[in-house]
């Protein structure tokens, strides 16, 4: 592992026009203890998620301890339940750097200053200080995870929860209430929520991008109300996803989007429907009675205005506060619908 890290530093410096001397000499980070050396050599890596050139997370385990290394996001304002910050060690840093393939953030001259004159060929050299090497790469935050929390077995969910807690300089401006809902969805939402979509939405450069990813999460379940009625008359153990695939491939049947959305909204209680009604329809209809069909039509209109580039549809004009309310309502909607339908929709077919 040490060889990979220092080869990467030397190559990065070379790309920056700086030559590191004595590249044939061995270089390594000072050893901490036997347990840490064992972790470096024997850790089992279970997941790696990259979302930008510098931001990524690695999930690994050793001696029944679950670790997450999160690179490039900086320190979270608060840590989600089930995660405990832990000190970086030579072993955990080595796993994080080699498994993520992260590139150094330091300039060539900084790398030369850090490792140029010291190596295995210098008498008395016993390895570099951990901090001296860690500083040459994007920031690495280490966490030990409580395995009693379901979400800590999924690297996307852990990364999403942490980014929501450290989101301070993004291109959009979600309120703290909305960011807490994002973090809560990653931590306690159904395991069947398409968390990649939620993460991609949170990192979008626009409110509309965030909305569309949450809309796509709901869109996946559009066939559920019709399929539930079908299964009552025609019992089957097939998961709804398989039934939907069969109906579309053999009969070319697909649910009509606004009608399907209205049926899903109608199933929700008012704690979910009221924020949707107020944020998508209330700004236009005041105190008028607003049906699930009307709310669905208004949500679908926002979707069409963002997806289609036609003059007749116009553009979505909302303030930051209005967008924030819409996203907040959609987050509650996604969490509720997947709690009720996620398992049945994704049920594994019987062998």
């Amino acid at each position: 592992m040490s060889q990979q890290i220092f080869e990467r530093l030397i190559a990065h410096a070379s790309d920056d026009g700086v030559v590191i001397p004595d590249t044939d000499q061995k270089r390594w980070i000072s050893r901490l203890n036997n347990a840490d050396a064992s972790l470096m050599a024997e850790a089992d890596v279970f997941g790696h998620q990259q979302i930008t050139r510098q931001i990524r997370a690695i999930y690994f385990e050793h001696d029944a301890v679950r670790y997450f290394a999160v690179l490039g996001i900086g320190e979270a304002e608060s840590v989600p339940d089930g995660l405990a910050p832990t000190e970086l060690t030579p072993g955990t840093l080595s796993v994080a750097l080699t498994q993520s393939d992260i590139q150094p953030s330091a300039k060539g001259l900084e790398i030369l200053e850090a490792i140029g004159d010291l190596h295995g060929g210098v008498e008395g050299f016993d390895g570099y200080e951990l901090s001296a090497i860690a500083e040459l790469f994007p920031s690495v935050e280490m966490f030990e995870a409580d395995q009693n929390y379901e979400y800590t077995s999924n690297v996307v969910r852990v990364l999403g929860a942490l980014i929501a807690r450290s989101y301070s300089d993004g291109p959009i401006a979600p309120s703290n209430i909305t960011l807490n809902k994002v973090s809560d969805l990653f931590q306690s939402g159904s395991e069947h929520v398409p968390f990649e979509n939620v993460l991609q939405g949170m990192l979008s450069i626009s409110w509309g991008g965030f909305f569309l990813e949450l809309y796509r999460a709901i869109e996946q379940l559009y066939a559920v109300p019709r399929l539930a009625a079908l299964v009552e008359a025609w019992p089957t153990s097939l998961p709804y996803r398989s039934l939907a695939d069969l109906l579309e491939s053999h009969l070319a049947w697909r649910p009509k989007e606004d009608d399907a959305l209205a049926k899903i909204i109608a199933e929700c209680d008012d704690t979910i429907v009221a924020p949707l009604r107020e944020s998508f329809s209330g700004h236009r209809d005041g105190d008028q009675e607003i049906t699930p069909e009307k709310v669905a039509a208004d949500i679908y209109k926002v979707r069409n205005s963002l997806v289609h580039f036609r003059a007749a549809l116009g553009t979505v004009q909302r303030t930051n506060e209005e967008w924030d309310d819409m996203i907040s309502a959609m987050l509650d909607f996604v969490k509720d619908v997947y709690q009720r339908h996620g398992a049945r929709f994704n049920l594994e077919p019987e062998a």
Side-chain angles (χ1 to χ4, degrees):
M1 284 189 173
S2 290
Q3 182 177 345
Q4 294 180 45
I5 294 169
F6 289 98
E7 284 178 351
R8 198 178 303 171
L9 286 167
I10 291 166
H12 187 78
S14 178
D15 290 342
D16 207 21
V18 176
V19 176
I20 305 298
D22 301 313
T23 55
D24 58 329
Q25 296 290 341
K26 291 184 177 180
R27 290 175 162 89
W28 63 91
I29 302 171
S30 294
R31 180 189 179 96
L32 178 62
N33 53 42
N34 289 339
D36 190 60
S38 176
L39 181 151
M40 183 190 303
E42 301 171 2
D44 294 314
V45 179
F46 291 100
H48 170 216
Q49 181 69 29
Q50 177 177 345
I51 56 176
T52 73
R53 291 179 64 186
Q54 303 287 39
I55 298 177
R56 59 197 73 193
I58 302 91
Y59 158 31
F60 59 96
E61 294 183 5
H62 184 256
D63 278 352
V65 180
R66 181 174 293 172
Y67 298 93
F68 284 89
V70 182
L71 293 81
I73 68 169
E75 187 174 351
E77 291 186 6
S78 60
V79 178
D81 292 341
L83 297 177
T86 186
E87 288 189 7
L88 196 63
T89 68
T92 55
L93 177 66
S94 296
V95 173
L97 295 182
T98 56
Q99 294 297 323
S100 68
D101 196 32
I102 191 77
Q103 294 302 307
S105 55
K107 300 295 185 183
L109 288 175
E110 294 173 312
I111 296 172
L112 176 63
E113 183 177 354
I115 69 172
D117 295 331
L118 293 174
H119 48 71
V122 175
E123 185 176 353
F125 177 73
D126 193 31
Y128 301 101
E129 290 294 327
L130 173 65
S131 59
I133 303 306
E135 290 173 357
L136 302 177
F137 290 89
S139 62
V140 181
E141 303 294 329
M142 286 300 310
F143 300 90
E144 289 188 15
D146 185 337
Q147 299 185 40
N148 292 313
Y149 288 76
E150 178 187 280
Y151 86 98
T152 66
S153 64
N154 184 315
V155 67
V156 174
R157 297 180 69 171
V158 168
L159 182 57
L162 284 167
I163 289 177
R165 296 294 184 95
S166 60
Y167 190 102
S168 60
D169 192 29
I172 58 177
S175 66
N176 287 335
I177 292 174
T178 296
L179 288 173
N180 285 337
K181 286 185 179 184
V182 177
S183 184
D184 178 67
L185 181 60
F186 282 112
Q187 293 177 73
S188 61
S190 162
E191 64 178 309
H192 301 292
V193 171
F195 291 106
E196 291 85 355
N197 292 76
V198 181
L199 180 57
Q200 183 167 307
M202 179 173 54
L203 296 171
S204 174
I205 64 170
S206 68
W207 285 109
F210 200 171
F211 166 81
L212 285 175
E213 292 301 331
L214 296 176
Y215 181 92
R216 289 178 65 202
I218 296 294
E219 183 179 35
Q220 177 179 227
L221 301 180
Y222 273 175
V224 165
R226 296 280 190 182
L227 293 176
L230 175 64
V231 168
E232 285 188 10
W234 184 25
T236 176
S237 61
L238 286 173
Y240 288 162
R241 180 189 294 276
S242 297
L243 284 177
D245 289 344
L246 288 169
L247 290 171
E248 184 169 347
S249 59
H250 290 282
L251 300 178
W253 177 85
R254 289 182 298 179
K256 183 180 177 184
E257 290 201 28
D258 51 351
D259 176 64
L261 180 57
K263 284 182 168 55
I264 290 176
I265 292 172
E267 294 178 349
C268 300
D269 64 39
D270 201 55
T271 60
I272 303 301
V273 178
L276 292 171
R277 183 188 302 123
E278 293 166 7
S279 58
F280 286 93
S281 303
H283 67 280
R284 202 168 49 248
D285 294 316
D287 296 328
Q288 176 183 340
E289 180 63 28
I290 301 172
T291 65
E293 289 76 16
K294 180 66 169 70
V295 177
D298 286 337
I299 294 174
Y300 191 53
K301 184 175 181 180
V302 173
R303 177 263 186 198
N304 285 341
S305 295
L306 292 167
V307 170
H308 302 297
F309 199 56
R310 300 201 304 266
L313 289 172
T315 57
V316 183
Q317 300 292 336
R318 299 285 192 279
T319 65
N320 278 336
E321 291 75 15
E322 288 169 337
W323 271 119
D324 187 67
D325 287 342
M326 291 161 64
I327 295 299
S328 179
M330 288 292 288
L331 288 164
D332 290 337
F333 189 28
V334 169
K335 185 176 183 181
D336 178 78
V337 172
Y338 274 91
Q339 283 176 334
R340 288 186 289 109
H341 296 305
R344 183 66 178 88
F345 186 78
N346 292 281
L347 182 70
E348 289 294 329
E350 294 181 0

